[in-house]
PDB file of all heavy atoms in Angstrom:
ATOM      1  N   ALA M 998     -60.803  41.088  25.511  1.00  0.00           N
ATOM      2  CA  ALA M 998     -61.887  41.220  26.477  1.00  0.00           C
ATOM      3  C   ALA M 998     -61.693  42.458  27.343  1.00  0.00           C
ATOM      4  O   ALA M 998     -62.633  43.205  27.599  1.00  0.00           O
ATOM      5  CB  ALA M 998     -61.979  39.969  27.340  1.00  0.00           C
ATOM      6  N   SER M 999     -60.487  42.705  27.799  1.00  0.00           N
ATOM      7  CA  SER M 999     -60.240  43.870  28.640  1.00  0.00           C
ATOM      8  C   SER M 999     -60.377  45.157  27.836  1.00  0.00           C
ATOM      9  O   SER M 999     -60.825  46.161  28.352  1.00  0.00           O
ATOM     10  CB  SER M 999     -58.863  43.786  29.296  1.00  0.00           C
ATOM     11  OG  SER M 999     -57.854  43.823  28.314  1.00  0.00           O
ATOM     12  N   THR M1000     -60.040  45.140  26.573  1.00  0.00           N
ATOM     13  CA  THR M1000     -60.198  46.312  25.723  1.00  0.00           C
ATOM     14  C   THR M1000     -61.674  46.628  25.535  1.00  0.00           C
ATOM     15  O   THR M1000     -62.065  47.788  25.555  1.00  0.00           O
ATOM     16  CB  THR M1000     -59.527  46.085  24.352  1.00  0.00           C
ATOM     17  OG1 THR M1000     -58.177  45.729  24.571  1.00  0.00           O
ATOM     18  CG2 THR M1000     -59.601  47.329  23.497  1.00  0.00           C
ATOM     19  N   ALA M1001     -62.474  45.617  25.370  1.00  0.00           N
ATOM     20  CA  ALA M1001     -63.897  45.831  25.193  1.00  0.00           C
ATOM     21  C   ALA M1001     -64.489  46.463  26.442  1.00  0.00           C
ATOM     22  O   ALA M1001     -65.311  47.372  26.359  1.00  0.00           O
ATOM     23  CB  ALA M1001     -64.594  44.517  24.884  1.00  0.00           C
ATOM     24  N   THR M1002     -64.082  46.039  27.602  1.00  0.00           N
ATOM     25  CA  THR M1002     -64.579  46.594  28.846  1.00  0.00           C
ATOM     26  C   THR M1002     -64.176  48.053  28.979  1.00  0.00           C
ATOM     27  O   THR M1002     -64.977  48.905  29.341  1.00  0.00           O
ATOM     28  CB  THR M1002     -64.034  45.792  30.049  1.00  0.00           C
ATOM     29  OG1 THR M1002     -64.315  44.414  29.851  1.00  0.00           O
ATOM     30  CG2 THR M1002     -64.617  46.292  31.343  1.00  0.00           C
ATOM     31  N   VAL M1003     -62.950  48.348  28.667  1.00  0.00           N
ATOM     32  CA  VAL M1003     -62.464  49.720  28.765  1.00  0.00           C
ATOM     33  C   VAL M1003     -63.202  50.610  27.772  1.00  0.00           C
ATOM     34  O   VAL M1003     -63.580  51.727  28.091  1.00  0.00           O
ATOM     35  CB  VAL M1003     -60.936  49.765  28.512  1.00  0.00           C
ATOM     36  CG1 VAL M1003     -60.458  51.181  28.386  1.00  0.00           C
ATOM     37  CG2 VAL M1003     -60.214  49.054  29.637  1.00  0.00           C
ATOM     38  N   THR M1004     -63.472  50.147  26.600  1.00  0.00           N
ATOM     39  CA  THR M1004     -64.138  50.946  25.576  1.00  0.00           C
ATOM     40  C   THR M1004     -65.570  51.264  25.984  1.00  0.00           C
ATOM     41  O   THR M1004     -66.058  52.349  25.726  1.00  0.00           O
ATOM     42  CB  THR M1004     -64.156  50.200  24.229  1.00  0.00           C
ATOM     43  OG1 THR M1004     -62.937  49.525  24.037  1.00  0.00           O
ATOM     44  CG2 THR M1004     -64.367  51.159  23.105  1.00  0.00           C
ATOM     45  N   GLU M1005     -66.223  50.337  26.642  1.00  0.00           N
ATOM     46  CA  GLU M1005     -67.604  50.557  27.031  1.00  0.00           C
ATOM     47  C   GLU M1005     -67.714  51.637  28.094  1.00  0.00           C
ATOM     48  O   GLU M1005     -68.678  52.397  28.126  1.00  0.00           O
ATOM     49  CB  GLU M1005     -68.216  49.253  27.551  1.00  0.00           C
ATOM     50  CG  GLU M1005     -68.392  48.212  26.462  1.00  0.00           C
ATOM     51  CD  GLU M1005     -68.802  46.861  27.026  1.00  0.00           C
ATOM     52  OE1 GLU M1005     -69.005  46.749  28.251  1.00  0.00           O
ATOM     53  OE2 GLU M1005     -68.902  45.918  26.237  1.00  0.00           O
ATOM     54  N   THR M1006     -66.747  51.752  28.973  1.00  0.00           N
ATOM     55  CA  THR M1006     -66.848  52.688  30.079  1.00  0.00           C
ATOM     56  C   THR M1006     -66.152  54.004  29.814  1.00  0.00           C
ATOM     57  O   THR M1006     -66.376  54.963  30.529  1.00  0.00           O
ATOM     58  CB  THR M1006     -66.255  52.058  31.345  1.00  0.00           C
ATOM     59  OG1 THR M1006     -64.892  51.738  31.105  1.00  0.00           O
ATOM     60  CG2 THR M1006     -67.031  50.828  31.752  1.00  0.00           C
ATOM     61  N   THR M1007     -65.321  54.092  28.813  1.00  0.00           N
ATOM     62  CA  THR M1007     -64.580  55.312  28.540  1.00  0.00           C
ATOM     63  C   THR M1007     -65.430  56.259  27.705  1.00  0.00           C
ATOM     64  O   THR M1007     -65.895  55.897  26.632  1.00  0.00           O
ATOM     65  CB  THR M1007     -63.279  54.994  27.780  1.00  0.00           C
ATOM     66  OG1 THR M1007     -62.557  54.023  28.513  1.00  0.00           O
ATOM     67  CG2 THR M1007     -62.446  56.237  27.580  1.00  0.00           C
ATOM     68  N   PRO M1008     -65.642  57.497  28.169  1.00  0.00           N
ATOM     69  CA  PRO M1008     -66.430  58.443  27.367  1.00  0.00           C
ATOM     70  C   PRO M1008     -65.617  58.903  26.174  1.00  0.00           C
ATOM     71  O   PRO M1008     -64.402  58.972  26.217  1.00  0.00           O
ATOM     72  CB  PRO M1008     -66.704  59.590  28.341  1.00  0.00           C
ATOM     73  CG  PRO M1008     -65.657  59.487  29.386  1.00  0.00           C
ATOM     74  CD  PRO M1008     -65.257  58.036  29.453  1.00  0.00           C
ATOM     75  N   SER M1009     -66.307  59.286  25.132  1.00  0.00           N
ATOM     76  CA  SER M1009     -65.655  59.717  23.910  1.00  0.00           C
ATOM     77  C   SER M1009     -66.114  61.119  23.561  1.00  0.00           C
ATOM     78  O   SER M1009     -67.245  61.512  23.848  1.00  0.00           O
ATOM     79  CB  SER M1009     -66.009  58.762  22.772  1.00  0.00           C
ATOM     80  OG  SER M1009     -65.547  59.271  21.555  1.00  0.00           O
ATOM     81  N   LEU M1010     -65.255  61.879  22.936  1.00  0.00           N
ATOM     82  CA  LEU M1010     -65.630  63.219  22.469  1.00  0.00           C
ATOM     83  C   LEU M1010     -66.663  63.145  21.356  1.00  0.00           C
ATOM     84  O   LEU M1010     -67.452  64.069  21.164  1.00  0.00           O
ATOM     85  CB  LEU M1010     -64.388  63.953  21.950  1.00  0.00           C
ATOM     86  CG  LEU M1010     -63.378  64.392  22.990  1.00  0.00           C
ATOM     87  CD1 LEU M1010     -62.162  64.985  22.292  1.00  0.00           C
ATOM     88  CD2 LEU M1010     -63.974  65.409  23.939  1.00  0.00           C
ATOM     89  N   PHE M1011     -66.636  62.078  20.618  1.00  0.00           N
ATOM     90  CA  PHE M1011     -67.507  61.946  19.460  1.00  0.00           C
ATOM     91  C   PHE M1011     -68.710  61.051  19.719  1.00  0.00           C
ATOM     92  O   PHE M1011     -69.399  60.668  18.795  1.00  0.00           O
ATOM     93  CB  PHE M1011     -66.702  61.409  18.275  1.00  0.00           C
ATOM     94  CG  PHE M1011     -65.530  62.288  17.960  1.00  0.00           C
ATOM     95  CD1 PHE M1011     -64.236  61.877  18.238  1.00  0.00           C
ATOM     96  CD2 PHE M1011     -65.718  63.545  17.428  1.00  0.00           C
ATOM     97  CE1 PHE M1011     -63.168  62.690  17.957  1.00  0.00           C
ATOM     98  CE2 PHE M1011     -64.651  64.369  17.151  1.00  0.00           C
ATOM     99  CZ  PHE M1011     -63.373  63.954  17.420  1.00  0.00           C
ATOM    100  N   ALA M1012     -68.996  60.757  20.969  1.00  0.00           N
ATOM    101  CA  ALA M1012     -70.137  59.913  21.283  1.00  0.00           C
ATOM    102  C   ALA M1012     -71.416  60.709  21.033  1.00  0.00           C
ATOM    103  O   ALA M1012     -71.469  61.916  21.295  1.00  0.00           O
ATOM    104  CB  ALA M1012     -70.072  59.459  22.734  1.00  0.00           C
TER     105      ALA M1012
END
Side-chain angles (χ1 to χ4, degrees):
S999 64
T1000 305
T1002 307
V1003 171
T1004 321
E1005 292 171 3
T1006 60
T1007 306
S1009 171
L1010 289 175
F1011 303 108

